[in-house]
Amino acid sequence: MGKVVGIDLGTTNSVVAVMEGGKPVVIANAEGMRTTPSVVGFTKEGERVVGQIARRQILLNPQNTFFAVKRFIGRRYNELNPESKRIPYTIRKDEVGNIKVACPLQNKDFAPEEISAMVLKKLAEDASRYLGEPVTGAVITVPAYFNDSQRQATRDAGRIAGLEVLRILNEPTAASLAYGLDRSNSETILVFDLGGGTFDVSILDVGDGVFEVRSTSGDTQLGGNDFDKKIVDWLAEQFLQEHGVDLRRERQSLQRLLEAAEKAKIELSSVSVTDINLPFIAANEDGPVHLETRLTRSEFEGMCDDLLGRVRQPVKRALRDAELTPAEIDEVVLVGGSTRMPMVQQLVRAMIGKAPNQNVNPDEVVAVGAAIQAGILAGELKDVLLLDVTPLSMGLETISGVMKKLIPRNTTIPVRRSDIFSTSENNQNTVEIHVVQGEREMASDNKSLGRFKLYGIPPAPRGVPQIQVSFDIDANGILQVTALDRTTGREQSITIQGASTLSEGEINRAIQDAQKYADVDRERKERVEKRTRAEALIIQAERQLREVALDFGMQFARNRRQRIDNICRELRSSLQQNDDRGIDLTVADLQDALYDLNREMRAYYAEDDDDDLLGTIRDLFTGDKDRDSPRDMRDRDSPRDMRDRDYYDRDYDNRDYGRDSRSSYDSGRSSRRSRPSYRDNWDDEDDNWL
């Protein structure tokens, strides 16, 4: 089995970490950054790009660039509110009511799990490159308040990415692992996790290797993006009043507003006022119009009063469920980039009465905790016990549509609970088990996780049959339900896979598509690298020809140089025609020709050195110190003493040599022969005389 890593799959940014030498290490991506934007895009050439490269094309290609997809994972289209749908790309409902992301360039609809899988795959590939071995397993974090459907969908995304998901871990719990791993004193900590798209708060008892979650609460539709949208609405309304144009109706304008809003929010965390300037944002009958305004921190905080109210409720609920007062909290740990906002820190300080602990990196701490959990599962860490809880109550629908809770929220997992039910009608031989999740009294107001039927119940008056229904939640928070007729022993059990928005067939098809994309991407990369090597070889060969002409004269190895020149022309032609076989053949011919030329150069140097040695011996015996050496005789008539540039340009510099690069053949030249001093005036950058 390959290496197991910890992955924080975020709404805005994602991070991957691994245990090395008993310590968690955050892995930088291929671009050298420790965080990877959770953005997937498709270029006009059909190439799939992920991360920072995809983020760069959002403005010019908003319909084919997808971000913040985590908000849609594991949800139905009818569960979305109008605010969630106000994004530059298109989401639609499929035939069964699931969310699909439309990609016009690919003429295809992607499930949110598939988009998330592309981000996971990039993180795994970057980790494999760093570790030097394949990454096959992962611990993936999710918001603590994710329901069973969203957890299943996250696991499906990992499977599509080709990873074995060993554990689905709550983000605040992961943060507490990173915070309390080396702490021996027992503490009660509150983890306040406000990310780009979700909000969680968890209360834990931490100390001496034991991490026990006492309660958790949150809002999966509240995050930094909602604060951004407050600024977007403020800017759009101002512009609408002034110019009569609603910027939210045009994809590129909306994306520019989103980026400007995010930038303004970040700046207002350190300054009290920021300027927002968006030139040429729209056009009217008078021509192009610009957006220029100023936003103060107090104005921004005034816009967000309702969001801060939504933040307060989960904190109060978590304290109430844990049966604690704010004074009993020993430490507050802030997680997520949005906790850098001063108004959020002030809110936490006001509610808990303590200044938040800022010793951990809010962007990386969740991935670090996931890596620690991966180390625990792999046996690298000992004497660490993690006791998590289920975030929402689980039960089933009974007669009259009432929900019967079998597992209340904040129950420590893994857990198994059961209860006895009976039939509601005489001679009823079948019962339907409807599993729901949530806190409302009526089943219809909660999240439906799945249904299944138990057949073969013997005819009997209502209320007589005894049917034992058991709920079993594993360490990942995944639910399995079993129904047993105690009279006949008939049993029916299912793992709630129906909670996922993808069927098993769709998951397998997505896995195959992901593999096909991987093969296509690999072939495209190899083709690009082949072209790059061929172009570099052409530049190298032409530089070699120039240097030979300068050092030895125009007549030296004329036939070989003419052959190299012809091969370079053929190779350029093959590159223009995208002839892969022609490129391979001409590259091989060009390498052979360059080898022959270099061999002749080395032979000439050897002959020159022999002539110099004989001349020196002759001088010792004859005392003739003024005689010209063979090298002096050759140099007297060579182009190096003809400073007229046109002499050389007639044969070589009139051709288009493309971009320049340093020749690897320079190192093969004899160290005994230094480069002529007049070459100091040669500009290697442009291959022009100065």
Side-chain angles (χ1 to χ4, degrees):
M1 180 179 174
K3 197 72 174 178
V4 179
V5 297
I7 296 178
D8 172 17
L9 179 61
T11 306
T12 307
N13 294 293
S14 298
V15 186
V16 59
V18 70
M19 293 297 294
E20 281 195 329
K23 296 291 183 181
V25 177
V26 175
I27 299 174
N29 58 25
E31 294 77 37
M33 307 296 292
R34 292 165 70 90
T35 60
T36 300
S38 302
V39 184
V40 175
F42 292 87
T43 66
K44 294 180 180 178
E45 292 77 24
E47 182 180 0
R48 183 181 69 193
V49 289
V50 182
Q52 189 62 41
I53 301 175
R55 189 170 185 175
R56 292 193 196 114
Q57 73 162 26
I58 289 181
L59 275 179
L60 297 179
N61 193 9
Q63 281 187 281
N64 298 282
T65 308
F66 315 117
F67 59 92
V69 175
K70 182 178 177 180
R71 283 194 159 189
F72 305 131
I73 196 167
R75 304 182 71 202
R76 301 277 182 173
Y77 189 84
N78 57 13
E79 297 174 2
L80 301 181
N81 56 38
E83 287 293 316
S84 302
K85 301 174 186 177
R86 205 176 68 191
I87 46 179
Y89 54 90
T90 303
I91 59 172
R92 57 169 60 108
K93 178 173 61 174
D94 67 5
E95 60 275 5
V96 294
N98 294 332
I99 298 173
K100 296 295 182 183
V101 180
C103 181
L105 277 177
Q106 294 289 313
N107 194 24
K108 181 180 179 180
D109 292 346
F110 291 97
E113 291 89 332
E114 293 179 271
I115 302 294
S116 297
M118 296 173 192
V119 178
L120 290 172
K121 191 168 185 64
K122 174 179 170 52
L123 294 172
E125 289 174 349
D126 290 339
S128 298
R129 189 180 299 109
Y130 170 83
L131 296 169
E133 59 179 307
V135 170
T136 59
V139 172
I140 302 177
T141 62
V142 296
Y145 225 53
F146 257 21
N147 60 33
D148 193 71
S149 173
Q150 293 165 309
R151 293 171 187 270
Q152 289 277 7
T154 304
R155 178 181 287 276
D156 293 342
R159 289 178 57 195
I160 295 170
L163 297 172
E164 181 185 358
V165 183
L166 302 182
R167 181 66 54 86
I168 296 293
L169 184 64
N170 289 338
E171 290 170 1
T173 307
S176 71
L177 277 173
Y179 166 80
L181 182 64
D182 299 325
R183 297 176 182 266
S184 57
N185 297 331
S186 296
E187 292 181 332
T188 300
I189 66 171
L190 184 145
V191 180
F192 186 96
D193 183 358
L194 183 61
T198 58
F199 170 55
D200 290 302
V201 56
S202 293
I203 298 175
L204 306 93
D205 288 333
V206 176
D208 200 22
V210 178
F211 298 80
E212 182 179 1
V213 181
R214 296 185 61 169
S215 67
T216 189
S217 186
D219 188 338
T220 59
Q221 297 302 305
L222 174 63
N225 294 345
D226 297 285
F227 291 85
D228 296 343
K229 288 177 180 177
K230 290 291 184 181
I231 301 179
V232 169
D233 288 335
W234 180 76
L235 293 173
E237 290 297 333
Q238 275 196 342
F239 197 84
L240 181 61
Q241 291 178 6
E242 186 175 352
H243 300 286
V245 178
D246 191 350
L247 298 176
R248 291 164 292 191
R249 296 182 177 275
E250 207 279 323
R251 295 179 189 274
Q252 287 190 342
S253 298
L254 175 59
Q255 184 57 45
R256 291 184 69 184
L257 284 179
L258 286 169
E259 292 193 354
E262 182 183 11
K263 181 181 177 183
K265 179 189 70 176
I266 294 171
E267 290 177 354
L268 288 175
S269 295
S270 56
V271 298
S272 59
V273 62
T274 183
D275 291 321
I276 301 174
N277 298 307
L278 294 174
F280 303 99
I281 189 69
N284 56 22
E285 61 274 7
D286 298 326
V289 289
H290 318 293
L291 190 155
E292 298 178 72
T293 189
R294 174 169 289 192
L295 178 63
T296 65
R297 184 187 292 176
S298 59
E299 288 177 321
F300 175 46
E301 292 177 352
M303 301 175 199
C304 302
D305 279 343
D306 59 327
L307 297 180
L308 294 177
R310 290 173 61 185
V311 168
R312 290 187 182 93
Q313 293 305 317
V315 176
K316 294 178 180 177
R317 189 185 306 123
L319 288 168
R320 186 169 58 250
D321 291 343
E323 299 180 349
L324 294 173
T325 64
E328 295 176 283
I329 301 296
D330 297 316
E331 202 74 70
V332 178
V333 179
L334 298 182
V335 179
S338 298
T339 57
R340 292 188 173 96
M341 290 187 286
M343 59 179 163
V344 172
Q345 297 179 5
Q346 292 168 7
L347 174 67
V348 173
R349 188 181 295 110
M351 294 191 69
I352 307 301
K354 292 182 175 64
N357 183 304
Q358 303 199 21
N359 293 334
V360 297
N361 186 328
D363 296 321
E364 300 176 357
V365 64
V366 172
V368 168
I372 292 171
Q373 178 64 33
I376 295 171
L377 295 177
E380 298 178 38
L381 290 176
K382 308 290 185 182
D383 302 325
V384 178
L385 176 62
L386 176 61
L387 300 173
D388 213 335
V389 299
T390 177
L392 295 166
S393 300
M394 294 188 181
L396 49 83
E397 181 180 3
T398 60
I399 192 163
S400 302
V402 177
M403 175 184 176
K404 168 65 177 177
K405 295 179 182 178
L406 267 69
I407 301 179
R409 71 173 187 268
N410 294 319
T411 299
T412 301
I413 57 174
V415 62
R416 180 180 176 87
R417 296 281 176 85
S418 62
D419 205 345
I420 303 297
F421 297 85
S422 189
T423 55
S424 59
E425 297 179 4
N426 294 327
N427 301 321
Q428 184 177 336
N429 62 3
T430 303
V431 293
E432 182 180 62
I433 309 297
H434 181 202
V435 184
V436 293
Q437 183 177 31
E439 307 305 324
R440 304 283 293 274
E441 294 298 326
M442 303 303 294
S444 59
D445 296 327
N446 294 312
K447 171 73 175 178
S448 174
L449 298 182
R451 300 171 184 263
F452 67 99
K453 292 184 178 181
L454 177 64
Y455 297 94
I457 301 174
R462 57 177 293 182
V464 173
Q466 291 190 332
I467 301 165
Q468 180 176 325
V469 180
S470 302
F471 280 32
D472 193 346
I473 304 179
D474 64 14
N476 296 308
I478 306 298
L479 173 66
Q480 184 175 14
V481 181
T482 304
L484 171 68
D485 180 7
R486 301 181 71 175
T487 303
T488 63
R490 290 181 180 272
E491 183 179 82
Q492 180 70 36
S493 65
I494 63 166
T495 299
I496 302 297
Q497 300 288 357
S500 174
T501 57
L502 294 181
S503 65
E504 191 66 24
E506 289 175 315
I507 293 172
N508 292 332
R509 189 159 53 248
I511 293 173
Q512 294 172 1
D513 289 345
Q515 184 60 45
K516 181 179 72 175
Y517 258 115
D519 295 338
V520 170
D521 290 343
R522 184 165 53 251
E523 291 174 3
R524 182 182 287 113
K525 181 179 179 182
E526 291 174 355
R527 193 176 299 114
V528 169
E529 289 178 347
K530 181 193 294 185
R531 290 181 64 89
T532 302
R533 288 194 299 268
E535 291 169 354
L537 189 59
I538 292 173
I539 296 169
Q540 175 182 306
E542 291 175 340
R543 170 174 290 197
Q544 187 85 358
L545 294 180
R546 294 185 191 131
E547 293 184 346
V548 168
L550 283 170
D551 289 347
F552 299 99
M554 299 299 296
Q555 300 303 319
F556 178 81
R558 188 178 185 88
N559 291 336
R560 294 195 188 281
R561 291 191 289 111
Q562 189 172 8
R563 178 171 175 252
I564 292 173
D565 191 50
N566 292 335
I567 296 175
C568 287
R569 294 178 188 276
E570 292 179 21
L571 185 51
R572 286 192 188 280
S573 177
S574 297
L575 288 170
Q576 290 176 355
Q577 298 172 10
N578 292 320
D579 181 5
D580 289 342
R581 178 169 174 76
I583 293 173
D584 292 337
L585 293 175
T586 49
V587 163
D589 291 342
L590 184 54
Q591 288 173 335
D592 291 343
L594 287 172
Y595 175 79
D596 292 339
L597 178 62
N598 278 275
R599 185 175 59 183
E600 188 162 339
M601 289 168 58
R602 287 194 295 271
Y604 192 88
Y605 277 128
E607 179 184 348
D608 190 20
D609 289 341
D610 290 343
D611 290 344
D612 286 349
L613 179 61
L614 289 174
T616 301
I617 295 173
R618 191 181 299 110
D619 290 344
L620 289 174
F621 284 99
T622 63
D624 185 4
K625 299 181 184 291
D626 297 326
R627 185 181 56 81
D628 290 333
S629 69
R631 179 178 298 181
D632 294 333
M633 296 291 290
R634 184 183 70 245
D635 288 349
R636 186 176 300 158
D637 296 326
S638 69
R640 73 179 58 184
D641 288 332
M642 298 181 180
R643 303 303 173 91
D644 183 5
R645 176 181 175 179
D646 292 338
Y647 179 90
Y648 179 68
D649 286 351
R650 283 197 299 270
D651 284 309
Y652 291 98
D653 276 358
N654 287 333
R655 290 196 301 267
D656 177 17
Y657 293 116
R659 289 185 305 104
D660 199 4
S661 66
R662 297 192 178 275
S663 170
S664 62
Y665 288 92
D666 287 347
S667 60
R669 303 180 64 181
S670 173
S671 61
R672 293 190 297 267
R673 183 180 176 87
S674 62
R675 180 171 292 186
S677 61
Y678 73 86
R679 291 296 300 278
D680 291 342
N681 290 330
W682 179 265
D683 183 4
D684 281 337
E685 190 66 28
D686 296 319
D687 278 354
N688 292 321
W689 292 95
L690 296 177

